């Protein structure tokens, strides 16, 4: 089937999409956007978090066909040209990026949190990032990055 | 595989009648996992996310009609006062990303014994509104779950909404998991006080082939709770309640916990949640007086 979807502000089209295919596969393999990572494919790790019509979701749990006519914003769509989004910059500055696999999902989740709650408490940060697993950092520097981005 | 994309409820029901094997797809938090892992290859997917009739809730005559497509996030932010235990259970579902997509309708459709909302639906006497091109009918939550991941819908029926009474007294939900976030219940429990009918609902999850009510425990509470002269509950009442709840379970040993542990944990959850709910009730009674 054909899927039409607006990705990072641009109208995109994909053909020969399998009906059981996920939005994550569509983004990575058909539209050439590898920012969202494919890890667990069961919504456990959050590495594929993207905005769907402004709401953070696991792209692996959205059927590609469900995105028809909708707006998707991926981690690639957060930066303004060459200028990183403040959340992205904060992750770099705080050393919150190690292997980097979980980073795109964490950045989108943190970006959404700070849009909703400009000055979150530590509890709110932990809750907002509860769906994103990181196996390297121990999370402390990620928390630092979000706290710094909130300032 | 076909991808069916009805624009409204009439189209959705027509599509389900024509393709009874089609798998309804809302938040996708269960169905997509099965597809991603090649555990399921249905002939058709029936995307319900465009059906506006499923996406809202209303309150009428003290009953919330909760559309099957309302996300957990919306339930938590919009219905926390009317449906406190359902909101509590929703808060324990997955992660923010999962709660943004997942729905009570989907929880019912999957009918997993571990579904987080089931004990609340049972304890509060919820009814499930299902529809087909043949018409609409209501199924009591008690009659909804018929086996492991099995419910009582006909192949051409879709879950349209859940009807729950607006809470008139404290309710509680509690769940045991191996960590705080992103975890399936080892066991779960809900209790809902109903002072008007001098009753309390109690139900367990993840501790039997289906979610189920703890009928003996409910009868015990109806007789023992001092509704007319509210006073702190004796420990012995809470403990006996816990024992009766545990005795309603028929758990299995599995990777998440042993049957013995589940029975023990249920007794603890029941004792604590009853204590919290009754304490809240006493507080609200005093405030009113």
């Amino acid at each position: 089937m054909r899927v039409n979807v607006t990705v990072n502000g641009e109208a995109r089209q994909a053909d020969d999409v399998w009906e059981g295919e996920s939005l994550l596969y569509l983004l990575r393999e058909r539209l050439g956007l590898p920012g969202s990572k494919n890890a667990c494919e069961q919504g456990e790790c959050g590495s594929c978090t993207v905005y769907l019509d402004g709401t953070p979701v696991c792209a692996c749990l959205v059927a590609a066909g469900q995105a028809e006519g909708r707006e998707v914003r991926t981690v690639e769509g957060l930066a303004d040209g060459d200028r990183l989004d403040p959340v992205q910059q904060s992750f770099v500055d705080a050393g919150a990026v190690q292997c980097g696999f979980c980073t795109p999902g964490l950045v989108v989740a943190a970006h959404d949190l700070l849009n909703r709650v400009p000055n979150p408490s530590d509890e709110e940060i932990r809750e907002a990032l509860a769906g994103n697993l990181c196996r390297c950092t121990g999370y402390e520097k990620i928390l630092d990055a979000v706290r710094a981005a909130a300032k | 595989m076909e991808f069916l994309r009805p624009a409204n409820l009439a189209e959705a029901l027509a599509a389900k009648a024509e393709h009874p094997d089609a798998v309804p797809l809302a938040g996708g938090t269960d169905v997509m996992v099965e597809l991603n892992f090649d555990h399921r290859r249905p002939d058709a997917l029936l995307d319900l996310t465009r059906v506006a009739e499923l996406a809202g809730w209303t309150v009428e005559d003290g009953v919330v009609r909760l559309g099957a497509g309302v996300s957990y996030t919306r339930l938590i932010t919009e219905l926390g006062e009317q449906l406190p235990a359902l909101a509590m259970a929703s808060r324990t579902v997955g992660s923010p990303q999962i709660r943004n997509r997942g729905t009570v309708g989907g929880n019912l459709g999957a009918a997993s014994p571990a579904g987080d909302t089931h004990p609340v639906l049972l304890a509060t006497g919820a009814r499930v509104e299902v529809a087909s091109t043949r018409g609409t009918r209501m199924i009591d939550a008690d009659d909804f779950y018929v086996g492991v991941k099995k419910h009582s819908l006909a192949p051409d029926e879709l879950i349209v909404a859940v009807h729950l009474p607006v809470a008139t007294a404290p309710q509680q939900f509690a769940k045991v998991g191996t960590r705080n976030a992103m975890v399936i219940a080892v066991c779960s429990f809900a209790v809902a006080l109903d002072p008007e009918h001098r009753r309390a609902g109690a139900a367990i999850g993840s501790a039997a082939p289906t979610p189920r009510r703890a009928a003996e425990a409910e009868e015990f509470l109806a007789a023992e709770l001092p509704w007319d002269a509210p006073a702190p509950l004796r420990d012995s009442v809470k403990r006996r309640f816990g024992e009766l709840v545990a005795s309603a379970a028929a758990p299995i040993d599995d990777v998440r916990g042993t049957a013995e542990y589940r029975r023990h944990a249920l007794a603890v959850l029941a004792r604590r949640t009853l204590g919290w709910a009754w304490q809240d009730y006493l507080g609200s009674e005093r405030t009113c007086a």
Side-chain angles (χ1 to χ4, degrees):
Chain A
M1 65 177 170
R2 170 174 288 186
V3 175
N4 296 284
V5 55
T6 302
V7 182
N8 299 329
E10 197 183 325
R12 303 289 300 263
Q13 191 173 78
D15 280 315
D16 300 320
V17 173
W18 176 56
E19 287 71 16
E21 188 169 310
S22 69
L23 172 62
L24 177 62
Y25 190 91
L26 179 91
L27 291 170
R28 288 177 56 86
E29 309 297 335
R30 300 191 189 278
L31 301 182
L33 292 165
S36 317
K37 296 291 176 269
N38 184 357
C40 74
E41 291 190 278
Q42 51 183 327
E44 295 273 343
C45 76
S47 301
C48 66
T49 302
V50 300
Y51 285 108
L52 177 64
D53 282 349
T55 302
V57 303
C58 293
C60 71
L61 299 184
V62 178
Q66 291 184 300
E68 170 71 30
R70 310 261 191 223
E71 288 204 20
V72 174
R73 193 176 181 197
T74 69
V75 70
E76 286 98 340
L78 296 186
D80 180 10
D82 286 342
R83 211 176 71 238
L84 291 181
D85 179 86
V87 179
Q88 293 172 313
Q89 188 62 52
S90 191
F91 267 64
V92 174
D93 295 343
V97 178
Q98 288 193 23
C99 91
F101 202 85
C102 68
T103 309
L106 275 161
V107 165
V108 175
H111 186 271
D112 170 67
L113 169 68
L114 295 178
N115 273 343
R116 288 182 291 111
V117 189
N119 286 299
S121 64
D122 274 12
E123 210 171 36
E124 285 171 316
I125 298 173
R126 285 174 180 277
E127 172 63 27
L129 302 186
N132 294 77
L133 295 182
C134 170
R135 298 285 84 140
C136 314
T137 65
Y139 300 103
E140 286 305 323
K141 291 191 171 174
I142 292 169
L143 295 175
D144 288 345
V146 179
R147 286 185 203 114
K151 281 176 187 156
Chain B
M1 190 184 295
E2 278 189 82
F3 197 86
L4 308 168
R5 213 151 25 196
N8 55 52
L9 185 58
E11 280 184 29
L13 297 178
K16 190 64 172 144
E18 198 183 328
H19 304 267
D21 290 337
V23 173
L25 181 63
T29 54
D30 277 336
V31 174
M32 286 304 293
V33 176
E34 295 183 320
L35 288 170
N36 290 343
F37 284 82
D38 213 357
H39 291 160
R40 198 171 192 180
R41 285 288 177 264
D43 292 334
L45 290 172
L46 180 57
D47 176 22
L48 298 174
T49 51
R50 272 147 231 274
V51 179
E53 291 97 323
L54 306 179
W57 56 264
T58 54
V59 184
E60 207 170 310
D61 298 332
V63 175
V64 177
R65 180 179 181 274
L66 176 71
V70 176
S71 70
Y72 294 117
T73 302
R74 283 189 60 198
L75 205 163
I76 293 162
T77 53
E78 299 170 27
L79 285 164
E81 291 208 358
Q82 293 95 327
L83 307 174
L86 197 60
M88 281 181 214
S90 301
R91 272 186 215 105
T92 75
V93 173
S95 64
Q97 291 93 320
I98 302 290
R99 294 192 290 271
N100 285 341
R101 293 285 292 172
T103 65
V104 175
N107 218 211
L108 282 163
S112 158
D116 288 317
T117 65
H118 305 320
V120 179
L121 301 182
L122 288 165
T124 57
R127 296 189 304 157
V128 185
E129 179 184 338
V130 304
S132 67
T133 52
R134 298 173 288 122
T136 296
R137 67 183 177 118
M138 302 291 280
I139 306 174
D140 286 341
D142 267 338
D143 302 322
F144 185 84
Y145 312 98
V146 295
V148 177
K149 298 193 177 180
K150 299 238 181 310
H151 52 58
S152 46
L153 263 65
D156 64 342
E157 288 179 317
L158 290 174
I159 299 164
V160 176
V162 186
H163 297 241
L164 303 102
V166 172
T168 56
Q171 304 177 344
Q172 283 287 339
F173 170 85
K175 156 177 164 180
V176 172
T178 44
R179 56 193 284 254
N180 275 344
M182 293 300 300
V183 82
I184 186 169
V186 174
C187 63
S188 63
F189 178 73
V191 61
L193 302 182
D194 179 2
E196 192 188 336
H197 301 99
R198 297 288 190 262
R199 265 196 332 233
I204 61 175
S206 216
T210 67
R212 58 164 70 158
R213 284 176 54 184
E216 267 187 85
E218 290 182 349
E219 284 159 29
F220 171 76
L221 280 191
E224 288 291 329
L225 287 180
W227 297 107
D228 296 315
L233 280 189
R234 292 193 313 278
D235 258 6
S236 58
V237 171
K238 288 185 270 188
R239 282 181 190 283
R240 183 64 190 142
F241 176 64
E243 287 167 13
L244 290 170
V245 165
S247 71
I252 54 169
D253 294 317
D254 70 5
V255 289
R256 282 176 279 137
T258 62
E260 190 187 0
Y261 173 72
R262 285 185 160 101
R263 273 194 210 93
H264 168 75
L266 276 173
V268 175
L269 291 183
R271 172 160 54 81
R272 286 188 190 159
T273 52
L274 174 63
W276 296 331
W278 189 256
Q279 201 57 41
D280 284 352
Y281 180 67
L282 291 183
S284 62
E285 285 290 290
R286 287 197 186 110
T287 316
C288 293

